[in-house]
């Protein structure tokens, strides 16, 4: 009798060629829901459905909807709050920010790093307190050691600046809107009433020493006998980055590096603040970034 092939081998002979042919076709007609090199140097995410239309809920569509400023931002110190008065007598509270030796220390290219960005340094630091690799980085761009470094994302290559360029207060203009980011004041471990604004429990009628207590943390058997994720409870308060959008620039003083913005800014006096053009307001500047900086 002729020898019978095992079941596994016969199955492989029938199934494997079809799978290989499908893979060859999928490589040709494969559709990706991600933009070209959207997350740095990571590979593109392939659509499992094979739809030729970009899905609105995909990460690539969200990346296309994301707005980035055309120009780089600047770092500044928060000096405090004051107020200005209009001709009508209206009082406007404002915050005074000061730029101190803000210079460009590096640029990030999309071809090399996967995104466009400008690295900016603020202040001055004693060279003996800086590591040698970082000293070499500062020497390459021709600037003194900085106290703080920060990156600002930009839309394209037009927003990049040459390393060593100084950013002054006239980088911003009176009347434009900026987004301000800073680290909020750290409050330490706080209870539910202070951290989340809970009203507390009754002050009388049998309440014993639980006036400011949080109370129940969830259900029993009906809720799975667990604390649901995201439950507002006592914990560490503050010490996180907070962004305030659409603050109007009221005044600038290039000689002193002063930028006055309307409203309040997160953080204590002396904290480092990140300033950049508002993404939800039209840009009032028609000139190139290189022409604005001296």
């Amino acid at each position: 009798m002729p020898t019978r092939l095992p079941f596994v081998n016969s199955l492989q002979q029938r199934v494997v060629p079809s799978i290989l042919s499908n893979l060859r076709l999928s490589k040709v007609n494969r559709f990706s829901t991600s933009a070209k090199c959207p997350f740095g140097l990571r590979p593109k995410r392939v659509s499992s459905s094979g739809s030729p239309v970009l899905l609105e809920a995909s990460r690539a569509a969200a990346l296309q909807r994301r707005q980035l400023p055309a120009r780089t931002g600047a770092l500044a110190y928060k000096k405090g709050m004051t107020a200005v008065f209009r001709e009508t007598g209206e009082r406007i509270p404002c915050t005074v920010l000061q730029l101190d030796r803000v210079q460009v220390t590096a640029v990030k290219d999309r071809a090399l790093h996967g995104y466009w960005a400008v690295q900016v340094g603020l202040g001055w630091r004693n060279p003996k307190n800086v590591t040698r690799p970082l000293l070499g980085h500062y020497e390459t761009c021709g600037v003194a050691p900085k106290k703080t470094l920060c990156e600002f994302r930009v839309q394209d290559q037009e927003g990049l600046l040459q390393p060593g360029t100084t950013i002054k207060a006239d980088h911003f203009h009176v009347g434009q809107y900026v987004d301000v980011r800073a680290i909020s004041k750290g409050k330490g471990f706080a209870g539910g009433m202070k951290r989340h604004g809970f009203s507390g429990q009754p002050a009388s009628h049998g309440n014993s020493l639980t006036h400011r207590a949080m109370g129940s943390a969830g259900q029993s058997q009906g809720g799975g006998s667990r604390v649901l994720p995201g439950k507002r409870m006592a914990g560490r308060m503050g010490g996180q980055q907070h962004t305030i959008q659409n603050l109007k620039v009221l005044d600038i003083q290039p000689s002193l590096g002063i930028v006055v913005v309307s409203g309040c800014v997160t953080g204590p006096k002396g904290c480092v603040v990140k300033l950049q053009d508002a993404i939800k307001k039209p840009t009032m500047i028609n000139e190139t970034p290189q022409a604005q900086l001296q």
Side-chain angles (χ1 to χ4, degrees):
M1 294 178 60
T3 57
R4 296 183 59 183
L5 295 176
F7 175 75
V8 177
N9 293 339
S10 61
L11 182 62
Q12 290 179 353
Q13 291 178 358
R14 289 178 296 175
V15 176
V16 172
S18 63
I19 295 177
L20 293 177
S21 61
N22 292 336
L23 287 176
R24 295 190 191 99
L25 293 176
S26 62
K27 289 182 180 179
V28 176
N29 300 326
R30 185 173 59 179
F31 173 74
S32 172
T33 59
S34 300
K36 183 178 180 181
C37 197
F39 304 104
L41 302 178
R42 300 180 187 177
K44 297 188 295 182
R45 187 170 65 90
V46 179
S47 173
S48 58
S49 63
S51 172
V53 181
L54 187 63
L55 302 179
E56 292 294 332
S58 64
R59 298 174 66 182
L63 185 66
Q64 289 184 358
R65 292 192 299 267
R66 181 180 180 182
Q67 300 178 4
L68 291 174
R71 307 189 308 158
T72 181
L75 296 175
Y77 291 113
K78 178 181 176 180
K79 307 304 293 184
M81 291 196 66
T82 182
V84 297
F85 292 87
R86 292 183 176 177
E87 297 178 354
T88 59
E90 180 184 2
R91 180 181 182 273
I92 304 176
C94 56
T95 305
V96 180
L97 308 174
Q98 186 175 21
L99 282 68
D100 181 21
R101 289 166 282 191
V102 180
Q103 291 178 303
V104 178
T105 56
V107 294
K108 296 300 180 69
D109 186 85
R110 188 169 190 177
L112 183 61
H113 304 94
Y115 61 99
W116 304 104
V118 179
Q119 187 185 76
V120 177
L122 170 70
W124 179 83
R125 175 172 290 183
N126 196 325
K128 70 177 183 179
N129 298 328
V130 182
T131 60
R132 290 185 178 181
L134 200 54
L135 285 175
H137 173 67
Y138 291 129
E139 184 178 358
T140 302
C141 56
V143 299
K146 298 298 180 182
K147 184 177 182 180
T148 306
L149 294 177
C150 177
E151 280 190 5
F152 292 93
R153 296 282 298 269
V154 294
Q155 288 180 356
D156 49 26
Q157 190 176 3
E158 298 297 330
L160 301 182
L161 299 174
Q162 292 294 332
T165 305
T166 302
I167 302 179
K168 300 182 179 180
D170 54 4
H171 180 68
F172 304 97
H173 295 260
V174 176
Q176 81 165 107
Y177 292 88
V178 294
D179 294 338
V180 181
R181 296 177 178 87
I183 304 297
S184 60
K185 294 182 179 179
K187 301 294 184 179
F189 193 94
M193 293 183 66
K194 180 177 181 179
R195 191 183 185 197
H196 302 293
F198 292 165
S199 59
Q201 298 190 28
S204 61
H205 295 286
N207 193 317
S208 299
L209 304 180
T210 56
H211 308 288
R212 298 182 63 88
M214 183 187 69
S216 174
Q219 309 94 324
S220 179
Q221 196 172 21
S225 299
R226 64 194 180 98
V227 178
L228 298 178
K231 173 64 179 176
R232 295 185 297 174
M233 305 175 69
R236 192 169 183 174
M237 181 179 178
Q240 298 177 347
Q241 180 174 274
H242 186 236
T243 303
I244 302 180
Q245 296 181 330
N246 304 331
L247 294 183
K248 191 174 183 179
V249 177
L250 301 179
D251 188 18
I252 59 171
Q253 298 181 14
S255 59
L256 300 177
I258 297 295
V259 177
V260 182
V261 297
S262 62
C264 58
V265 173
T266 304
K269 293 182 181 179
C271 69
V272 177
V273 176
K274 304 175 185 178
L275 282 170
Q276 198 168 13
D277 298 339
I279 61 175
K280 295 184 179 179
K281 293 289 185 178
T283 305
M284 300 174 55
I285 302 168
N286 297 325
E287 301 180 5
T288 59
Q290 290 80 357
Q292 296 294 332
L293 304 182
Q294 299 179 357

